[in-house]
Amino acid sequence: MIRKYAVGSPLETYAVVEKLETQTCEIPYLKMEDDGKKLSMQLDPDAVVYGLGEQVRGINKRGWIYVSDNADDPNHTEGKHALYGAHNFLLIDGTVTFGLFLDTPGKVTFDIGYTSYDQMIITFENPDYDCYVIEADAQNEKANAGCAMQIVHEFRGLIGRSYIPPKWAFGFGQSRWGYKNSTDIREIVKQYREHNIPLDSVYLDIDYMDHFKDFTIDGQAFPDFPEFVREMKKEQIHLVPIIDAGVKIEKGYPVYEEGMANGYFCKGEDGKPFTAAVWPGKVHFPDVLNEEVRQWFGNWYKVLLNQGIEGFWNDMNEPAIFYSEQHLKEVFEQLEDYRDKELDIWSFFELKNLIGGIDNRAEDYASFYHNYEGQKIRHDLVHNLYGYNMTKAAGEAFERLSPDKRVLLFSRASYIGMHRYGGIWTGDNQSWWSHIALSMKQMAGLNMCGFLYSGSDIGGFGSDCTPDLLLRWLEFGIFTPLMRNHAALGTRSQEAFCFDRKEAADLIGLRYMLLPYIYSEYMKAALNDTMYFRPLAFDYPDNVRARHIEDQLCVGESIMIAPVCEQNAVGRNVYLPEEMKLYRFRSMADFDTEVLAEGDHYLRVNLHEVLIFVKPEHIVPIVTGQIMNVEEEPSFADQCKVLSFVEKDSASYRWYDDDGYTRNYDMEKRMRTVTVDHSGKVTIV
């Protein structure tokens, strides 16, 4: 059951697709204060608070302050409060269990047991919002306990179906800021092929552009780009270019000229286009909150679609601001005050903050405006909608320009609702062991909010990766829908062929072995409004231990994973909520199995091993053999190979399969029943 309450005069964000009648009574479970600027509630001692998408810290959000205020921040440490997304969904699982979605584009602060561990306080910078309270079916005997998955299902129905990428996008991808030309990319592909490491895509960072201008190609680096795209396709490689939010100010550049001629850029208080700076230098930001501008900007993706491109990633769309034109002038003026001045501790920090605080300033975000449905509105009041609407512009364009064919699309900045148009990656993480664990926790939170096509930069974007870190990260990345190795300019090379080549090839090969299961479970989660990644407590609601385990996840309906996230660890403790069958893989052809009892186990996990735990009476469809890309993937229907744990006479699995490219998602026509009997015989109906 979902009830809607309106506070103040909410702005329509289009996060919700199911329109509900607004209730006039008080919001249940919550105390409202200060004319709606604050909501609070007491938390049970054992209550778990889930949600908030890609935020920092644990799956259980108690004990910290989180802020929905999309931020360009490459240092994802525990002390941070905001990352790139605003995902205002909470699930409070206690004596009373309910979901809470706060639909507002402005800044929201969630104090979840930080000030007082037994209290949650939510404050709004602008008290105009829609509040949705989601409860489990009252007829359910577990309506007040163990109903987390039901609440997520209800919420997902409220906000609409998750984005579905093409099947090739579930293959392994390689990226790096610093692949400067077609020669670099040819060499990357050559190395992957020579070392028999599967690869489906290479991502093009800002290096491919002509002076960092959107929808352009550097003609010297890529002298015949359409031919190069065709060349890569013959290698079964998909090129995926980046698109940034800022449009370079340059006469003769068509995107700039058209935007200026039609008034399509965000404006300052004086009515002139707001000028900031990002990669190309000075830029204007397209006013993507304006429907007409969205259609215009989205149509520009056709330039690259027409050259054979089938996927994009949107970046810097919080939007990130290196500096604003006006504030840069002010900084240079203030710097004169420090010339020839002896700097003591206070003046030194003043100078340092003057320079260090030049980017992504709150004052800059409050200095330009949008035309949103005919209303002039200041950017900071709708800041969290910008990345969402940039990706919406592309997604809507693909529905027009490529109505029958799926296009890969994911973004850095996001708001709930964007999940219908594209996925996300978790941004500029680091080559830190803690970021493997953080990624696991983010995946669960993102799935609750509808962002199923997600993943982190394997190996870490910033800092220098090590051979053991890359292998351990791959062991988790095997299971993320978006599986991409990505690194920053100036960092150590971390392509899969750089370190332990055979071990990396074997691990990535396991991804392709599991693809029938991963794709099927993804599609069922998207089409049925469920979750692909889940905390253990969602599958084992009556198990008290499961509520407090954050380094193990359920993946799809059949398996549980427990990756290693610590440097030099040779094993780890694993808790099994029930008896399970362990598959210990070193490669597709090299594995052991054993049945483990419910309870605690210490398991040795060598550096090149992957542990897959199969639940009782469950099946995992797989394929085997040398597979270099998704196109070469043999049909599971022809192979009929499975991982399974069947102790009764037989068990069955509903397997979804389609062509992977069209937008025809007929569940009944695409679903088959796979049955395995106690002897291991597999049949498909």
Side-chain angles (χ1 to χ4, degrees):
M1 181 174 66
I2 305 176
R3 286 177 282 180
K4 175 184 176 183
Y5 304 85
V7 177
S9 302
L11 193 72
E12 178 62 76
T13 68
Y14 299 98
V16 167
V17 297
E18 182 183 342
K19 300 305 179 185
L20 302 178
E21 182 179 343
T22 302
Q23 304 289 316
T24 56
C25 56
E26 292 185 357
I27 302 173
Y29 312 120
L30 301 169
K31 179 182 178 182
M32 182 185 295
E33 302 175 63
D34 197 11
D35 295 325
K37 287 187 177 180
K38 184 167 81 170
L39 298 175
S40 63
M41 70 170 289
Q42 293 295 116
L43 295 172
D44 301 334
D46 296 326
V48 176
V49 181
Y50 300 104
L52 298 184
E54 71 171 356
Q55 269 286 8
V56 297
R57 298 203 171 210
I59 292 176
N60 183 355
K61 296 303 179 185
R62 285 188 77 161
W64 192 239
I65 290 179
Y66 309 89
V67 180
S68 285
D69 187 28
N70 292 2
D72 169 25
D73 188 340
N75 296 307
H76 308 168
T77 56
E78 287 190 23
K80 296 301 171 64
H81 301 284
L83 293 180
Y84 309 99
H87 308 135
N88 302 336
F89 172 70
L90 294 172
L91 198 163
I92 296 90
D93 188 358
T95 304
V96 175
T97 299
F98 68 99
L100 182 66
F101 174 45
L102 301 167
D103 189 9
T104 175
K107 185 176 180 179
V108 185
T109 300
F110 299 86
D111 178 340
I112 307 177
Y114 173 77
T115 301
S116 173
Y117 194 72
D118 63 355
Q119 190 173 41
M120 178 173 72
I121 304 169
I122 304 170
T123 54
F124 301 84
E125 194 167 87
N126 183 16
D128 295 309
Y129 53 91
D130 284 321
C131 175
Y132 294 85
V133 176
I134 305 128
E135 298 170 297
D137 185 349
Q139 303 302 314
N140 187 332
E141 62 182 14
K142 296 181 179 180
N144 288 324
C147 54
M149 192 61 248
Q150 185 185 350
I151 289 171
V152 170
H153 175 68
E154 292 291 326
F155 173 60
R156 294 276 302 287
L158 176 73
I159 60 176
R161 189 178 71 194
S162 297
Y163 162 76
I164 296 174
K167 192 171 185 179
W168 62 261
F170 289 84
F172 181 66
Q174 180 60 55
S175 182
R176 184 177 179 84
W177 175 17
Y179 295 156
K180 295 189 178 301
N181 50 46
S182 55
T183 301
D184 286 353
I185 293 170
R186 286 189 183 99
E187 181 61 25
I188 293 298
V189 173
K190 177 185 174 186
Q191 291 286 336
Y192 269 93
R193 295 298 186 237
E194 286 183 353
H195 296 295
N196 294 315
I197 305 174
L199 184 69
D200 265 279
S201 55
V202 175
Y203 290 78
L204 306 181
D205 211 314
I206 57 175
D207 314 272
Y208 82 94
M209 300 179 187
D210 175 15
H211 294 88
F212 310 125
K213 292 180 289 188
D214 282 339
F215 312 113
T216 67
I217 305 293
D218 182 337
Q220 290 186 330
F222 299 90
D224 188 344
F225 189 68
E227 178 55 34
F228 180 61
V229 174
R230 287 191 289 270
E231 175 190 333
M232 288 294 101
K233 283 187 179 179
K234 290 177 183 177
E235 294 278 348
Q236 304 298 346
I237 296 295
H238 298 264
L239 299 178
V240 184
I242 195 171
I243 302 293
D244 287 333
V247 171
K248 182 174 175 59
I249 300 171
E250 179 181 283
K251 290 186 177 181
Y253 170 38
V255 185
Y256 167 73
E257 296 284 8
E258 285 186 15
M260 288 296 292
N262 292 285
Y264 284 160
F265 296 122
C266 295
K267 297 176 175 60
E269 183 67 46
D270 58 3
K272 297 178 181 179
F274 172 71
T275 301
V278 201
W279 301 116
K282 292 184 180 180
V283 301
H284 295 324
F285 293 122
D287 186 3
V288 290
L289 273 67
N290 182 327
E291 183 177 359
E292 183 181 346
V293 177
R294 271 201 313 276
Q295 183 164 349
W296 166 75
F297 190 76
N299 284 339
W300 270 102
Y301 285 80
K302 187 177 182 180
V303 170
L304 293 168
L305 289 174
N306 287 347
Q307 297 181 68
I309 293 300
E310 299 172 301
F312 301 87
W313 48 308
N314 288 342
D315 195 13
M316 305 296 283
N317 54 349
E318 292 71 35
I321 297 177
F322 289 175
Y323 60 84
S324 68
E325 184 177 52
Q326 178 58 38
H327 183 58
L328 185 64
K329 293 177 182 178
E330 296 168 352
V331 168
F332 281 131
E333 291 172 0
Q334 293 176 53
L335 283 174
E336 288 298 316
D337 297 337
Y338 294 89
R339 187 185 296 275
D340 301 324
K341 181 179 181 181
E342 182 179 353
L343 302 180
D344 62 13
I345 182 174
W346 309 119
S347 54
F348 166 73
F349 282 116
E350 287 173 359
L351 175 62
K352 185 177 179 180
N353 292 335
L354 179 63
I355 301 300
I358 199 171
D359 60 327
N360 302 315
R361 298 171 64 247
E363 295 86 348
D364 287 334
Y365 289 126
S367 68
F368 64 97
Y369 294 81
H370 296 273
N371 176 4
Y372 189 51
E373 299 187 339
Q375 178 184 358
K376 180 181 177 181
I377 189 163
R378 208 173 66 204
H379 172 81
D380 60 322
L381 302 178
V382 289
H383 173 69
N384 294 332
L385 296 184
Y386 193 88
Y388 162 23
N389 279 275
M390 178 185 173
T391 299
K392 183 178 180 180
E396 290 174 331
F398 298 153
E399 292 174 5
R400 298 190 302 270
L401 303 171
S402 181
D404 300 320
K405 182 180 177 181
R406 307 178 212 173
V407 178
L408 172 61
L409 180 62
F410 58 91
S411 171
R412 191 170 76 174
S414 61
Y415 181 84
I416 290 175
M418 198 205 81
H419 72 287
R420 300 192 298 270
Y421 301 96
I424 70 169
W425 94 102
T426 58
D428 296 345
N429 61 359
Q430 301 285 329
S431 297
W432 299 340
W433 288 90
S434 62
H435 276 188
I436 305 178
L438 176 61
S439 177
M440 288 184 63
K441 296 164 186 176
Q442 289 173 324
M443 292 303 106
L446 286 167
N447 270 231
M448 294 179 206
C449 298
F451 292 95
L452 300 183
Y453 191 75
S454 55
S456 61
D457 287 340
I458 291 172
F461 177 73
S463 305
D464 289 329
C465 190
T466 60
D468 54 341
L469 177 64
L470 181 62
L471 291 179
R472 289 302 194 199
W473 213 316
L474 284 170
E475 289 163 17
F476 171 60
I478 286 168
F479 301 97
T480 58
L482 170 59
M483 186 186 185
R484 179 180 78 152
N485 179 321
H486 184 41
L489 185 70
T491 61
R492 183 185 192 186
S493 295
Q494 64 185 45
E495 289 82 2
F497 54 76
C498 288
F499 304 129
D500 302 298
R501 296 165 179 169
K502 183 183 182 305
E503 287 81 359
D506 287 340
L507 290 174
I508 296 170
L510 291 174
R511 163 57 165 234
Y512 288 78
M513 179 192 80
L514 290 164
L515 199 57
Y517 176 77
I518 290 171
Y519 185 72
S520 175
E521 290 303 302
Y522 181 94
M523 294 299 292
K524 288 190 290 186
L527 297 173
N528 294 325
D529 295 329
T530 58
M531 296 170 66
Y532 171 80
F533 281 118
R534 299 178 307 284
L536 261 61
F538 280 43
D539 285 30
Y540 302 96
D542 298 323
N543 187 308
V544 175
R545 283 281 304 279
R547 290 169 60 83
H548 304 291
I549 291 176
E550 302 211 343
D551 60 350
Q552 302 171 208
L553 291 174
C554 294
V555 183
E557 68 176 55
S558 299
I559 68 176
M560 184 193 78
I561 61 171
V564 174
C565 305
E566 295 182 7
Q567 186 175 9
N568 298 320
V570 296
R572 59 157 293 165
N573 291 305
V574 177
Y575 172 70
L576 301 186
E578 60 180 331
E579 182 183 57
M580 293 186 185
K581 186 174 183 178
L582 168 62
Y583 283 81
R584 182 189 296 273
F585 279 97
R586 290 165 288 277
S587 70
M588 285 187 282
D590 183 11
F591 64 93
D592 304 317
T593 66
E594 62 178 311
V595 174
L596 299 175
E598 175 186 345
D600 293 290
H601 301 267
Y602 177 80
L603 299 174
R604 185 174 181 88
V605 191
N606 292 327
L607 192 55
H608 61 291
E609 290 184 325
V610 176
L611 306 186
I612 299 177
F613 300 86
V614 179
K615 298 177 181 178
E617 314 311 322
H618 280 77
I619 297 165
V620 179
I622 64 170
V623 294
T624 57
Q626 183 76 22
I627 304 164
M628 299 307 294
N629 53 70
V630 171
E631 283 294 322
E632 292 182 1
E633 182 94 8
S635 170
F636 164 69
D638 294 333
Q639 283 203 354
C640 293
K641 295 183 178 181
V642 300
L643 313 179
S644 64
F645 183 22
V646 181
E647 293 189 306
K648 299 178 181 178
D649 290 340
S650 65
S652 62
Y653 172 80
R654 294 281 281 165
W655 171 52
Y656 178 94
D657 188 41
D658 60 22
D659 61 18
Y661 291 91
T662 64
R663 299 174 187 259
N664 181 7
Y665 314 122
D666 191 318
M667 283 286 286
E668 293 306 314
K669 291 182 180 179
R670 305 292 187 179
M671 199 73 76
R672 308 185 195 186
T673 299
V674 181
T675 302
V676 178
D677 64 22
H678 192 62
S679 70
K681 181 182 177 182
V682 182
T683 57
I684 299 178
V685 178

